[in-house]
Amino acid sequence: MQCNFKKRTCVDKKNKTKKTTPDSLPSSPFCFNQKKKKRSNPSTMAAVTPPKPSFSTTPTPFHHHRTTFLPRFTLPISSNPKKRHPFLRISNVISTTTTTNIPPSPEPFISRYSPDQPRKGSDVLVEALEREGVTDVFAYPGGASMEIHQALTRSHTIRNVLPRHEQGGVFAAEGYARASGRPGVCIATSGPGATNLVSGLADAMLDSIPIVAITGQVPRRMIGTDAFQETPIVEVTRSITKHNYLVLDVEDIPRIVREAFYLASSGRPGPVLIDVPKDIQQQLVVPKWDEPMSLSGYLSRLPKPPNDSHLEQIIRLISESKKPVLYVGGGCLDSSDELRRFVELTGIPVASTLMGLGSYPASDDLCLQMLGMHGTVYANYAVDKSDLLLAFGVRFDDRVTGKLEAFASRAKIVHIDIDSAEIGKNKQPHVSICGDIKIALKGLNKILDEKREIANLDFSNWRKELDEQKLNHPLGFKTFGDAIPPQYAIQVLDELTGGNAIISTGVGQHQMWAAQFYKYNRPRQWLTSGGLGAMGFGLPAAIGAAVARPDAVVVDIDGDGSFMMNVQELATIRVENLPVKILLLNNQHLGMVVQWEDRFYKANRAHTYLGNPSKESEIFPNMLKFAEACDIPAARVSQVGDLRAAIQKMLDTPGPYLLDVIVPHQEHVLPMIPAGGGFMDVITEGDGRTKY
């Protein structure tokens, strides 16, 4: 074998094959595109001085005659250095001699197989999932994943909830993870099955949701040959996953699965993909369950506990401020108790992002509800007038900040986040801590408990000022005669469920109204596609939530546009008999786009009407027929006087139920700060009946 080190190309004369590796790897953790500062990814986290590659004349056992072998699969390739490919040990986690041992489970796992009994790679994969505590997966079969599904039928602990589309499966896995806090698992076949997961993976990446996606792949010898249903899903998803793997050695499966679950749920959570060729699934092996994880670089870069001096500096800033505000996001969902204690000790009012709803009780007097483009006037007022902004578990998203220069322009900013890439990315803080917000809040609370007399905090005048804003600018809505205001429908649902339901949504006006008018008092009640804004999310996410939390009332508040994008999942709900309630706010339009057309395009309709133009007086399509086709009880309500009884019937009916609520398309989501605007640009009046 000849090796050209300059071009990093190895040519095996005997087998006439060529292997090419990239000239260099990204140096920054979590960053694939170095031009764009983005979240960290462990793909390069282990890039501490990688070992020099060693080359051997021993050919690999699955060379193909094609000379451009694996051109699109250069990274990541997992391999076992003790077994194969000593000269091609390329991985998204660059291997080093240091490995990390994870403490064994307190209760020993009882396998269906004897320790020395060979079994298929697919059975090893399923048992690895069992060892991670997985009890539910959302898997749709295909040619390249059949072996995995056969193995699932041999599992006594894992239940497969069969979606009717792979996108439904990945969104359901997200709903499962969002509602439970545990990683959700979805499985798809190669090619189009794998690419149908892309939107869900991107959504999980942007919203920091822990999911593990497993895809079948064509056999190893066919990779790179444009085989039937072959797509390089590792390459396709590299920038929208926290990490991904292409398994090329069956013995790596136990380690890879352990690493995948650890990566998905540690640090800043996110999606991890495992691509498993079909011949790997079929290969017999005696698994080694005690193989250590190889994540030393990633572990070394996980944030350390915050320094006490930094926490004391934050306390000093709080004691010096007159108008402090907490700006909390999705990073605080697992720190709700600590956050409530911090607010109790300081008396600082709390504004939440869309993703952070529920981390602090909405019914509390100090809650300012949501801030941002469609946030409350008083939440945005508080940020605009504040002299200290405590940004905890947030990323200064553009839908929150609007015009960056005008956002919190009077305030000193304290930013605490677990992802170092987010610190200073959009807004430069005065004090920053890269660390776990739960640990940081515990430290802050400890200092406050010990130094109450020193802190001497009194923000009563500030709270009175904000209470006046609440009185002057409450959330409200217009009436349309006997028609049903969509906001009122959500208010009634909130009353009848006592604010205790798990709510999922699609994306659009109904999503914003659900954020504004349902009061979330606990974390993980609110499931929505925030960063990606993926229509079609609500129904499958409700499926995942119902599987994860069978004790809870789960309601999908959806719009007709979003609902239609994954309407096939009604079949899954019926077959699994999941008690998902669907409150469908049907305005026959793409409501949010219509609102922008009304405001900024002189109400010119550009393909935003979803009904039948030849029969505008009729509701089209008939959503009740979709429900009937799937044997799901359904009803329609169009008069405001009938609404409460209709929602009560929906909640009282056992099992799934669809309520088609006809609402006027002229209603707008208000308040609204136009994109790129500041607080002074806020819009509080008007609807589709007004000319602009």
Side-chain angles (χ1 to χ4, degrees):
M1 173 176 285
Q2 292 181 348
C3 300
N4 184 331
F5 286 94
K6 184 175 182 180
K7 295 183 179 178
R8 301 194 63 163
T9 303
C10 304
V11 180
D12 188 331
K13 291 184 176 179
K14 181 178 179 181
N15 293 278
K16 300 185 184 301
T17 58
K18 184 186 293 183
K19 300 182 182 296
T20 305
T21 61
D23 291 336
S24 63
L25 291 173
S27 59
S28 172
F30 291 135
C31 297
F32 292 111
N33 183 349
Q34 295 298 297
K35 294 180 181 179
K36 179 180 178 183
K37 187 172 182 183
K38 191 62 179 169
R39 65 195 287 158
S40 320
N41 191 318
S43 332
T44 55
M45 275 218 162
V48 222
T49 317
K52 294 180 180 179
S54 59
F55 298 93
S56 166
T57 56
T58 307
T60 58
F62 53 92
H63 278 169
H64 192 268
H65 69 275
R66 194 166 169 178
T67 57
T68 55
F69 180 74
L70 292 182
R72 295 168 292 178
F73 286 85
T74 309
L75 285 176
I77 297 176
S78 66
S79 73
N80 188 336
K82 299 177 183 176
K83 293 279 292 182
R84 302 179 183 183
H85 328 305
F87 62 91
L88 184 62
R89 185 164 168 53
I90 308 168
S91 172
N92 255 2
V93 177
I94 300 175
S95 304
T96 65
T97 54
T98 307
T99 55
T100 306
N101 290 305
I102 297 300
S105 175
E107 294 183 7
F109 180 85
I110 301 175
S111 175
R112 299 186 301 279
Y113 301 90
S114 58
D116 57 351
Q117 180 182 356
R119 77 290 308 256
K120 288 184 174 182
S122 57
D123 288 296
V124 175
L125 177 64
V126 169
E127 183 169 325
L129 294 177
E130 292 173 343
R131 288 171 179 264
E132 293 298 326
V134 174
T135 56
D136 302 281
V137 298
F138 304 90
Y140 197 88
S145 63
M146 286 178 63
E147 290 286 350
I148 300 173
H149 282 262
Q150 290 296 311
L152 284 171
T153 66
R154 295 187 281 272
S155 173
H156 302 303
T157 58
I158 296 180
R159 162 199 185 190
N160 180 35
V161 178
L162 177 67
R164 267 43 181 187
H165 190 287
E166 290 92 352
Q167 187 182 93
V170 66
F171 282 160
E174 273 200 89
Y176 182 98
R178 291 172 190 255
S180 67
R182 303 187 301 273
V185 180
C186 61
I187 303 174
T189 190
S190 63
T195 55
N196 279 340
L197 300 180
V198 165
S199 291
L201 294 172
D203 189 63
M205 184 72 170
L206 282 168
D207 288 352
S208 305
I209 306 302
I211 64 172
V212 175
I214 299 169
T215 52
Q217 182 55 275
V218 299
R220 288 173 294 177
R221 68 184 182 279
M222 299 174 71
I223 293 176
T225 68
D226 296 329
F228 176 66
Q229 290 194 335
E230 180 197 359
T231 55
I233 198 61
V234 161
E235 302 298 327
V236 169
T237 63
R238 175 168 294 149
S239 61
I240 55 169
T241 52
K242 187 176 178 182
H243 190 49
N244 55 24
Y245 295 89
L246 172 63
V247 183
L248 291 183
D249 192 318
V250 68
E251 292 192 359
D252 286 339
I253 291 176
R255 173 183 59 82
I256 285 174
V257 172
R258 292 178 70 205
E259 289 180 5
F261 276 83
Y262 183 78
L263 291 169
S265 54
S266 62
R268 179 175 179 175
V272 177
L273 180 134
I274 305 173
D275 197 27
V276 189
K278 189 167 184 178
D279 59 325
I280 291 286
Q281 300 171 35
Q282 295 170 326
Q283 189 174 344
L284 293 177
V285 68
V286 176
K288 298 177 181 178
W289 299 109
D290 55 353
E291 284 289 318
M293 295 198 305
S294 183
L295 295 174
S296 56
Y298 172 73
L299 290 169
S300 70
R301 299 189 191 191
L302 285 175
K304 306 297 186 292
N307 191 300
D308 284 349
S309 63
H310 293 157
L311 298 179
E312 288 176 353
Q313 185 179 3
I314 294 172
I315 299 298
R316 180 177 59 79
L317 287 174
I318 293 172
S319 66
E320 293 173 354
S321 69
K322 302 296 182 184
K323 298 182 177 183
V325 173
L326 272 159
Y327 156 38
V328 301
C332 292
L333 288 176
D334 290 329
S335 313
S336 181
D337 292 341
E338 291 79 9
L339 178 62
R340 286 199 300 270
R341 179 59 179 160
F342 179 77
V343 175
E344 181 183 325
L345 290 168
T346 61
I348 297 175
V350 183
S352 172
T353 67
L354 182 73
M355 294 302 302
L357 291 174
S359 56
Y360 188 78
S363 58
D364 190 90
D365 289 340
L366 286 175
C367 182
L368 301 173
Q369 297 181 258
M370 187 172 69
L371 80 163
M373 176 177 282
H374 292 295
T376 61
V377 170
Y378 39 89
N380 288 319
Y381 173 92
V383 171
D384 186 64
K385 303 298 182 184
S386 66
D387 60 6
L388 177 65
L389 185 70
L390 301 172
F392 291 175
V394 296
R395 59 189 183 92
F396 291 88
D397 175 71
D398 61 289
R399 287 295 171 106
V400 167
T401 63
K403 187 178 181 180
L404 274 169
E405 304 79 41
F407 182 76
S409 58
R410 301 171 175 84
K412 293 179 180 176
I413 296 175
V414 173
H415 192 184
I416 303 178
D417 197 85
I418 201 164
D419 187 353
S420 60
E422 296 297 345
I423 306 292
K425 184 178 79 173
N426 294 327
K427 190 80 173 175
Q428 193 63 43
H430 297 80
V431 176
S432 64
I433 293 177
C434 180
D436 188 330
I437 187 62
K438 191 181 189 76
I439 298 173
L441 280 169
K442 284 181 177 178
L444 290 170
N445 292 343
K446 182 181 178 183
I447 295 172
L448 287 166
D449 272 323
E450 293 172 351
K451 301 182 178 181
R452 283 194 190 186
E453 67 287 347
I454 299 176
N456 194 26
L457 304 177
D458 181 12
F459 304 120
S460 55
N461 291 334
W462 173 229
R463 291 196 296 269
K464 287 177 184 176
E465 184 179 338
L466 296 180
D467 287 342
E468 288 179 11
Q469 290 296 316
K470 288 184 179 182
L471 289 173
N472 295 334
H473 302 284
L475 286 173
F477 51 85
K478 304 240 180 3
T479 57
F480 292 79
D482 291 333
I484 300 171
Q487 304 96 321
Y488 177 65
I490 296 168
Q491 274 190 344
V492 172
L493 179 69
D494 181 43
E495 292 172 19
L496 295 180
T497 58
N500 292 317
I502 292 176
I503 303 294
S504 70
T505 74
V507 169
Q509 286 182 315
H510 70 275
Q511 176 191 29
M512 294 297 103
W513 287 320
Q516 291 175 337
F517 288 90
Y518 199 95
K519 306 306 178 193
Y520 304 96
N521 290 315
R522 298 190 314 280
R524 307 204 175 278
Q525 272 188 274
W526 167 244
L527 321 177
T528 198
S529 174
L532 190 67
M535 292 175 66
F537 176 84
L539 189 61
I543 290 173
V547 171
R549 296 279 306 280
D551 57 317
V553 176
V554 179
V555 182
D556 170 29
I557 299 176
D558 227 326
D560 48 317
S562 280
F563 179 70
M564 287 285 291
M565 287 201 171
N566 273 314
V567 68
Q568 76 282 342
E569 299 308 325
L570 288 175
T572 304
I573 289 171
R574 176 70 284 168
V575 170
E576 299 292 338
N577 198 29
L578 299 172
V580 172
K581 314 298 182 184
I582 304 157
L583 186 72
L584 184 58
L585 302 180
N586 187 348
N587 65 7
Q588 297 281 278
H589 289 74
L590 287 173
M592 187 61 83
V593 187
V594 165
Q595 177 172 332
W596 282 57
E597 286 176 340
D598 288 342
R599 295 281 178 176
F600 310 118
Y601 295 90
K602 299 181 179 179
N604 180 47
R605 296 289 175 258
H607 320 118
T608 48
Y609 176 59
L610 300 180
N612 184 348
S614 64
K615 298 179 180 179
E616 288 194 20
S617 61
E618 298 180 8
I619 301 299
F620 179 88
N622 188 341
M623 302 297 183
L624 306 185
K625 294 293 184 181
F626 286 128
E628 181 184 347
C630 294
D631 194 25
I632 291 176
R636 176 179 292 159
V637 58
S638 57
Q639 301 293 309
V640 68
D642 301 328
L643 179 66
R644 184 175 294 270
I647 293 179
Q648 188 64 64
K649 182 179 179 182
M650 175 187 76
L651 296 171
D652 291 342
T653 302
Y657 193 97
L658 186 150
L659 182 61
D660 190 18
V661 183
I662 308 303
V663 299
H665 72 273
Q666 295 92 344
E667 181 62 303
H668 286 182
V669 180
L670 297 174
M672 177 183 181
I673 297 176
F679 172 67
M680 301 307 294
D681 304 310
V682 64
I683 299 169
T684 58
E685 295 294 334
D687 56 39
R689 296 171 292 187
T690 308
K691 298 295 182 183
Y692 300 97

